[in-house]
Structure formats: C-alpha cells, structure tokens
Amino acid sequence: MGKNVYFLSDAHLGSLAIEHGRTQERRLVRFLDSIKEKASAIYLLGDMFDFWNEYKYVVPKGYTRFLGKLSELTDRGIEVHFFTGNHDIWTYGYLEKECGLIVHRKPITTEIYGKIFFLAHGDGLGDPDNKFKLLRKIFHNRTCQKFFNSIHPRWGMALGLNWAKHSRLKRMDGREVPYLGEDKEFLVTFTKNYLKSHDNIDYFIYGHRHIELRLMLSRKAQMLILGDWIWQFTYAVFDGENMFMEQYVEGETNP
Ligand SMILES: [Mn+2]
C-alpha cells in the first residue's frame, strides 16, 4: 500500500443524460486500478452516482465494475471515503456493509499527514437559492425518504433517474456554468467566510461545481474544486508534502 491520498468527485454514473456511460465507468475503474499500489486513501467527494437509492433488500441496477473495484480496494486495506452528494443521498448501509466504504453525509474536517482538510461535496454551502434549499430539506428528510421507498422501485427509480436527467438537461448543452469569479462563486464566498473562524485549515476540497479551480485564500490556506469524471477526468492527489491537480489520461503514467 502506498502513501498517496486521492480526491475525486462527480462521475454521475448511470445518468440518462450521459451517452458514454459505459466508457466513462471503465475509465474510472481503470484509474482506480492504476492507483491501487500508490493509495492509502481515496476520497470520493459526492455525486459519483446520478441517482442512487437503496431499498431494504434491493439496490439499483448497474455499477458492478465500479462497486467491484471499490470493494477490491477496501479489501486491500485502502480507506475509501464516500461523501453523499445531492444525487446520491439515499444510501442506507449497503455501501458500508457490502463495499467497505466509509460514508459521510456532512462536511468533515480531518487531519492528513499533519495538514488540516475541510472536505465536502459542496451543495448547500453558501448557495442562497431557496428552491434548492427546500428541495435539499425534503431530500434529507427521513420521513420523506421512508415514504419514497414505499413506492415500488419500478416507479421510484424511474422518477429519480428522470429527475436527475432533467436537472442536467435544463442547463444548455447539459454542461455546467463556467467559473463565475471569486465574488460570485458561492463556494468561494462560503470558504472565505468559514476561514475567518477556522484559520487552522490548510485545504478546502469540494466537488459539485464540475469546474477545476485552485485558489490561494491566505498564506497557508487554499481551496480546490475537483472538476468531474464525466468530461474532465480530473483529481487531486496529496503525497504528504504537496498537493497536485491532475487529469487521468489513459496510457500515461499518472501520479
Ligand atoms: Mn452535486
């Protein structure tokens, strides 16, 4: 087992709006395979699935290569952390029990090789959109979750997959809004504010926005937004000393 710690997010596997789903999943799996000797931990920072919803005895179809690879990594003793995003909130123990993942439902602050990390998917942080806030409350509500799972998966899964598809397609060409700039980007304003009362943090790392960003916030603090695993295949890697932002290019030697 190696020493590197990897960060990636937003594969949105299984999306009905992504045509190259199988090649996308294979690429992700080949990446995970390529780091198995080098990694001590992997942080999946949310929205790895476009819609994940577990039932008591049933889990969604698909993703067998991905889940198989994650299980192989955790079997080898690599820590794999899974943050729920805003598309895959609804996991109730399967990913922990079957795949050995460590599931996080909220942002965490953790120490890695002596540095302090604030890690989050990024939804709900600084975003003033009231419609999104309300939806987020409903999605996280235990009673609503129980009610949703009383609907037959034939309809529940169809509803979820189509909701996720439309939340992608309502944006022109199905891609993300480009970087809005330091003053307008919610995650940046949130982080700057948070830093005022938590100046011990060295690295803030987020997903959610599907843009690649690296910003120095003070002499020691910086924030990263990880891009995605739909088009960009980007990740961050911390070797204990330095942080690198990389793109996974098949056939090349990646750190
Ligand atoms: Mn998201």
Side-chain angles (χ1 to χ4, degrees), residues 12-245:
H12 288 264
L13 294 176
S15 171
L16 299 178
I18 296 171
E19 280 165 17
H20 58 293
R22 178 65 77 218
T23 51
Q24 183 204 358
E25 184 187 9
R26 283 191 191 281
R27 193 157 165 182
L28 174 59
V29 166
R30 279 195 288 261
F31 167 70
L32 292 171
D33 189 66
S34 77
I35 60 172
K36 68 183 176 202
E37 309 287 346
K38 295 179 277 190
S40 65
I42 299 168
Y43 287 84
L44 305 170
L45 284 190
D47 285 356
M48 293 310 285
F49 301 105
D50 202 42
F51 180 67
W52 178 271
N53 185 68
E54 270 167 53
Y55 299 83
K56 190 162 182 200
Y57 299 108
V58 177
V59 293
K61 265 190 186 179
Y63 324 110
T64 50
R65 291 164 183 80
F66 177 56
L67 295 175
K69 184 53 72 182
L70 293 180
S71 307
E72 184 195 328
L73 297 177
T74 59
D75 284 348
R76 294 170 78 107
I78 299 170
E79 260 180 42
V80 181
H81 297 260
F82 180 97
F83 283 68
T84 58
N86 51 317
H87 284 251
D88 46 14
I89 304 159
W90 306 279
T91 172
Y92 308 110
Y94 177 77
L95 298 174
E96 283 116 320
K97 282 193 203 99
E98 183 65 21
C99 308
L101 308 186
I102 302 158
V103 175
H104 303 279
R105 295 165 197 283
K106 287 190 178 133
I108 63 164
T109 303
T110 187
E111 188 179 326
I112 304 173
Y113 302 130
K115 299 282 181 193
I116 309 296
F117 286 70
F118 180 88
L119 305 171
H121 178 57
D123 66 307
L125 301 180
D127 188 345
D129 182 350
N130 282 325
K131 210 174 123 197
F132 184 78
K133 273 191 204 158
L134 177 68
L135 210 57
R136 199 170 179 279
K137 249 192 190 147
I138 295 169
F139 283 177
H140 284 263
N141 182 280
R142 198 64 200 109
T143 310
C144 294
Q145 290 172 346
K146 279 189 179 144
F147 171 73
F148 188 81
N149 275 19
S150 71
I151 304 170
H152 191 278
R154 166 70 186 89
W155 306 111
M157 284 306 297
L159 204 67
L161 284 164
N162 279 293
W163 156 76
K165 174 187 173 184
H166 288 115
S167 82
R168 172 150 306 276
L169 293 181
K170 74 180 177 220
R171 286 183 292 270
M172 279 254 287
D173 70 18
R175 305 227 179 176
E176 293 318 299
V177 185
Y179 179 51
L180 297 170
E182 263 185 64
D183 303 338
K184 294 207 183 80
E185 203 61 59
F186 301 136
L187 275 174
V188 177
T189 46
F190 166 82
T191 305
K192 283 183 174 171
N193 213 14
Y194 194 81
L195 189 60
K196 285 181 198 160
S197 52
H198 301 80
D199 63 358
N200 60 329
I201 295 171
D202 297 285
Y203 294 100
F204 292 84
I205 308 183
Y206 305 105
H208 189 52
R209 266 297 269 119
H210 298 224
I211 55 172
E212 235 192 311
L213 180 75
R214 184 168 190 169
L215 207 61
M216 289 306 297
L217 300 169
S218 72
R219 266 175 55 218
K220 77 168 204 147
Q222 53 178 297
M223 76 173 275
L224 285 78
I225 303 181
L226 292 170
D228 72 24
W229 273 74
I230 305 169
W231 304 105
Q232 303 170 67
F233 305 96
T234 43
Y235 62 96
V237 51
F238 185 60
D239 66 4
E241 305 275 331
N242 294 299
M243 178 74 77
F244 305 93
M245 282 186 92

